[in-house]
Amino acid sequence: MAQWPEWVDHLIGWHVYPLGFVGAPMHLESQEVSHRLGHLEVWLDHVVALGCSGLVLGPVFSSASHGYDTLNYFTIDPRLGDDADFDHLLQAAHDRGLSVLVDGVFNHVSSRNHIAQDAQNAGPDSEAGRMVRWRDGQLDVFEGHGGLITLNHDNPAVRELITQVMNYWCDRGVDGWRLDAAYCVNPEFWAAVLPAVREKHPNVWIFGEVIHGDYAGIVRTSGMDSVTQYELWKAIWSSIEFHNFFELDHALGRHNEFSDAFTPMTFVGNHDVTRIASKVGQDGAILATAILATIGGIPLIYYGDELAYRGVKEERIGGDDDIRPVFPARPADLSNLGADTLRAHQDLLGLRRRHPWLVDARTQALELTNERYVYRSGVPGIEPLIVELDVRDGCSALIRQAGQVVWSSRG
């Protein structure tokens, strides 16, 4: 693991799916530029007021439809804007003290990407053909998606391309990367790529999307700084929904072990899963956020979760639309329906910012039943937080420090 960049010390990310946020068309129909990134820029003061210190962007590079089918790694998606629009967003974020991380979709490309097209035309034994993977004489596709062609990560030319892409955008001012579908890429590939990125940009922070597997081993072998903590995500909502805090206690024990090896990226929502408020209701979502705010790791807040947005992930074409919504033109246009959840998020993230040591915290169970869980969260030499979770009669959470209540979901 690389040396910890200073800006990560207080990182709390606001995770946004830009194409949905700005209401871009579902498919790229032309190269005509629509300057929509200003819509996102208007919300940066909301991000700061929420208590976040970073903007974690989903795909922004030119793509055929949903952003994860890249057409060109070196251009901004014209449905979002152009280079000048992106530079302006970067500057506006940095002016507010927000770091900016972008999504690197480096496992696969669109079937319309010139890499895939050249490979198809030249055949598997050609220089172009060796850029991608093949299966039974056909271009290999990612997880059954015919429009997504898997890159050949054993090819040095692919390594050189991804290194060039990452350095190009870091040169432009990007602070960090989320590596999409990192669980599909051999960690040794990243071990060959990332040193050349860090050599030019020693303060970059890089985390991978890893759903399952040996988290610590992947971080150690790949050279990434962190990976997504999906085990904990599942345990948080599941323990609330099914009144089983034994699952959460087990996951937090695992989380302690992971935290001994690296600093996990923690979350209760993202662009691929059903909204936490749809899973466990508004009070349950606040309880989940209380957990997120009081455990070790680097927390990510998925846009709209702080406003109690609902959305259900469905396994069908367009099944992600509900969880990737357009946002109002400006914060003043929000209704008051999510006001209580927003206030709770601001209080909890404020608590975390006042206790920056929480990024390194370890938890210990003090009381555990199916419906009530009390844990200690702390680091050596500092007064710990005592967190009480209860789902016996609705969902409630209470946080104490030195015997004093510092936050309660019941007001």
Side-chain angles (χ1 to χ4, degrees), residues 152-398:
N152 176 15
H153 298 92
D154 295 329
N155 185 349
V158 173
R159 180 176 67 233
E160 293 169 7
L161 169 65
I162 302 310
T163 302
Q164 183 183 4
V165 172
M166 295 182 74
N167 276 326
Y168 175 81
W169 290 104
C170 286
D171 288 345
R172 295 283 292 272
V174 164
D175 301 291
W177 290 86
R178 172 191 179 271
L179 303 178
D180 181 67
Y183 59 92
C184 296
V185 180
N186 192 320
E188 284 76 11
F189 173 80
W190 300 117
V193 167
L194 299 185
V197 179
R198 297 190 193 282
E199 182 179 2
K200 289 191 65 178
H201 304 282
N203 288 323
V204 69
W205 176 263
I206 301 166
F207 74 98
E209 180 196 17
V210 177
I211 298 174
H212 46 69
D214 180 6
Y215 290 171
I218 291 171
V219 170
R220 182 175 58 252
T221 304
S222 68
M224 290 184 285
D225 294 292
S226 184
V227 296
T228 50
Q229 228 292 39
Y230 265 89
E231 284 190 21
L232 184 62
W233 160 78
K234 194 272 179 182
I236 290 174
W237 66 257
S238 182
S239 65
I240 298 171
E241 181 177 10
F242 298 111
H243 290 204
N244 179 16
F245 280 128
F246 286 91
E247 180 180 1
L248 178 60
D249 182 64
H250 174 76
L252 285 175
R254 296 263 295 168
H255 189 66
N256 285 340
E257 295 174 6
F258 296 144
S259 297
D260 289 340
F262 67 99
T263 305
M265 306 298 291
T266 57
F267 61 96
V268 296
N270 66 30
H271 63 293
D272 283 328
V273 302
T274 290
R275 291 269 183 184
I276 186 67
S278 292
K279 277 285 190 183
V280 297
Q282 187 166 341
D283 289 344
I286 292 174
L287 190 150
T289 305
I291 299 169
L292 188 69
T294 56
I295 59 173
I298 297 174
L300 302 177
I301 306 298
Y302 185 53
Y303 83 105
D305 280 357
E306 78 276 19
L307 300 165
Y309 269 39
R310 264 65 167 181
V312 176
K313 161 88 169 185
E314 298 181 12
E315 297 301 328
R316 60 174 177 81
I317 296 176
D320 294 318
D321 296 353
D322 202 30
I323 59 175
R324 303 175 179 181
V326 62
F327 245 41
R330 56 191 183 277
D333 293 337
L334 287 171
S335 75
N336 290 321
L337 293 177
D340 290 343
T341 303
L342 176 60
R343 191 156 45 246
H345 274 74
Q346 290 172 323
D347 290 344
L348 287 164
L349 297 186
L351 175 69
R352 189 175 184 92
R353 290 172 71 93
R354 292 192 299 275
H355 299 84
W357 52 264
L358 278 166
V359 70
D360 296 316
R362 306 292 190 273
T363 60
Q364 178 186 4
L366 302 178
E367 180 182 338
L368 176 60
T369 68
N370 281 330
E371 297 183 313
R372 179 171 165 79
Y373 185 35
V374 182
Y375 63 84
R376 175 187 184 276
S377 185
V379 296
I382 296 179
E383 187 70 30
L385 299 181
I386 306 300
V387 182
E388 302 178 15
L389 311 174
D390 201 310
V391 292
R392 289 174 296 184
D393 181 20
C395 294
S396 65
L398 183 145

Side-chain angles (χ1 to χ4, degrees), residues 128-146:
R130 287 189 287 272
M131 292 287 290
V132 300
R133 295 197 180 277
W134 297 76
R135 185 186 299 272
D136 300 325
Q138 303 295 321
L139 297 179
D140 193 15
V141 300
F142 172 60
E143 295 184 346
H145 299 286

Side-chain angles (χ1 to χ4, degrees), residues 7-52:
W7 64 268
V8 184
D9 285 345
H10 308 286
L11 178 58
I12 302 171
W14 198 56
H15 182 194
V16 177
Y17 178 74
L19 290 167
F21 186 100
V22 304
M26 187 64 63
H27 298 280
L28 180 67
E29 302 295 346
S30 75
Q31 293 300 317
E32 182 178 354
V33 174
S34 296
H35 303 280
R36 293 187 172 95
L37 280 178
H39 182 171
L40 178 53
E41 187 175 323
V42 168
W43 283 84
L44 294 182
D45 289 335
H46 167 84
V47 180
V48 173
L50 179 60
C52 292

